[in-house]
């Protein structure tokens, strides 16, 4: 055989073209993949098996009774998770005190009026009673009565004094009309200075006409003197004054209930009728 036949033939499936040396040296992608998977399997450690929960053992014993919840103990359901959207409470708000602190808080003792400043001394100073003396400008004894005549009303204030009688701020001697002035002063002239000399009578009148006002004033004067003697002097003296006034004129103490009768239609007055003729 010749030298050409002695050379070894290339294996089947290999191309006749020459493969470069650099391509033959590099490993293929499939080989690389196989190597990495093998290395990862070797490095993986075996994981520990998961522990299963222990099975509950059924017993014949009854469950333990729940403790009763006290008033101030919050219920477990009431404890809710904090809401992030909710605005936090102010720091100035005070927390509720527990029951023990409220029960044991000391009670303030009431202050004793008139007690000494030194607490060690047991003796107490007696409390002075309030004085029964009236304040300056306030009379000690007075009565207030009224007199009436038709629609006129007179109010009389009788108190301790010096025998002054005033009507609407003016002396009663200046009352008008002069013809009826003695009619107003009748109770004072009848009783005398010895009865009303130690009294001051203050009068005010309104309503009605001139004459009815004067009759209301004289009645108020007489009633005020009788009321003052009944309240502050003596029942016997009051009875004597009352009898004297009633014997003179009953209208000094008793109001007159008479009123004017209103006019009716069909006539010029309350009772009179218009004249009629048949011719």
């Amino acid at each position: 055989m010749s030298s050409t036949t002695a050379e070894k033939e290339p294996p089947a499936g290999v191309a006749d073209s020459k493969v470069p040396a650099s391509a033959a040296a590099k490993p293929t992608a499939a080989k690389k993949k196989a190597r990495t998977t093998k290395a990862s399997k070797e490095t993986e450690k075996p994981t520990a098996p998961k522990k299963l929960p222990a099975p509950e053992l059924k017993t014949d014993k009854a469950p333990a009774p729940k403790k009763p919840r006290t008033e101030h103990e919050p219920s477990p359901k009431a404890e809710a998770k904090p809401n992030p959207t909710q605005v936090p409470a102010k720091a100035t708000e005070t927390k509720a005190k527990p029951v023990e602190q409220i029960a044991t808080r000391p009670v303030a003792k009431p202050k004793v009026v008139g007690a000494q400043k030194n607490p060690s001394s047991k003796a107490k100073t007696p409390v002075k009673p309030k004085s029964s003396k009236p304040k300056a400008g306030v009379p000690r004894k007075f009565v207030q009565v009224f007199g009436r005549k038709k629609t006129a009303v007179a109010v009389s204030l009788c108190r301790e004094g010096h025998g002054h009688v005033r009507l609407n701020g003016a002396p009663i001697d200046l009352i008008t009309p002069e013809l009826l002035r003695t009619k107003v002063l009748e109770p004072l002239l009848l009783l005398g200075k010895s009865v009303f000399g130690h009294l001051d009578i203050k009068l005010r009148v309104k309503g009605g006409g001139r004459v009815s006002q004067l009759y209301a004033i004289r009645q108020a004067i007489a009633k005020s003197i009788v009321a003052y003697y009944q309240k502050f002097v003596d029942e016997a003296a009051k009875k004597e004054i009352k009898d004297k006034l009633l014997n003179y004129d009953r209208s000094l103490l008793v109001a007159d209930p008479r009123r004017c009768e209103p006019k009716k239609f069909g006539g010029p007055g309350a009772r009179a009728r218009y004249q009629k003729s048949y011719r």
Side-chain angles (χ1 to χ4, degrees), residues 85-248:
T85 59
Q86 191 176 2
V87 180
K90 293 181 181 179
T92 56
E93 292 180 359
T94 56
K95 296 182 180 179
K97 293 184 179 181
V99 184
E100 295 178 359
Q101 291 184 10
I102 294 168
T104 56
R105 193 170 64 181
V107 181
K109 294 181 180 179
K111 294 181 179 180
V112 180
V113 180
Q116 293 182 357
K117 293 183 179 180
N118 189 4
S120 61
S121 61
K122 294 182 180 179
K124 296 180 181 179
T125 55
V127 180
K128 293 182 180 179
K130 292 182 179 180
S131 61
S132 59
K133 293 182 181 179
K135 295 180 182 178
V138 179
R140 185 178 298 179
K141 299 175 183 180
F142 72 94
V143 289
Q144 187 172 357
V145 296
F146 61 88
R148 286 179 180 175
K149 175 69 175 179
K150 294 185 181 179
T151 55
V153 179
V155 181
S156 173
L157 180 69
C158 183
R159 57 188 175 185
E160 289 180 326
H162 306 283
H164 302 304
V165 182
R166 302 181 75 83
L167 173 64
N168 292 339
I172 201 168
D173 297 331
L174 303 177
I175 196 169
T176 55
E178 293 182 10
L179 294 172
L180 293 173
R181 188 177 296 169
T182 53
K183 196 74 176 174
V184 176
L185 299 175
E186 271 181 357
L188 301 178
L189 298 172
L190 187 65
L191 297 174
K193 192 79 172 177
S194 60
V195 175
F196 71 92
H198 62 282
L199 301 175
D200 280 350
I201 301 172
K202 191 176 181 181
L203 297 149
R204 63 181 185 273
V205 65
K206 62 179 181 179
R210 283 281 186 91
V211 176
S212 50
Q213 281 188 355
L214 295 176
Y215 275 86
I217 290 165
R218 74 197 285 264
Q219 189 183 101
I221 292 170
K223 287 173 71 174
S224 63
I225 294 171
V226 172
Y228 184 89
Y229 270 76
Q230 182 180 9
K231 191 172 183 180
F232 300 111
V233 183
D234 189 19
E235 186 66 24
K238 167 251 173 182
K239 193 175 185 306
E240 185 182 348
I241 294 169
K242 186 176 180 180
D243 292 341
K244 191 182 288 188
L245 293 170
L246 287 173
N247 291 333
Y248 180 78

Side-chain angles (χ1 to χ4, degrees), residues 255-259:
D256 191 357
R258 295 177 298 170
R259 296 293 180 269

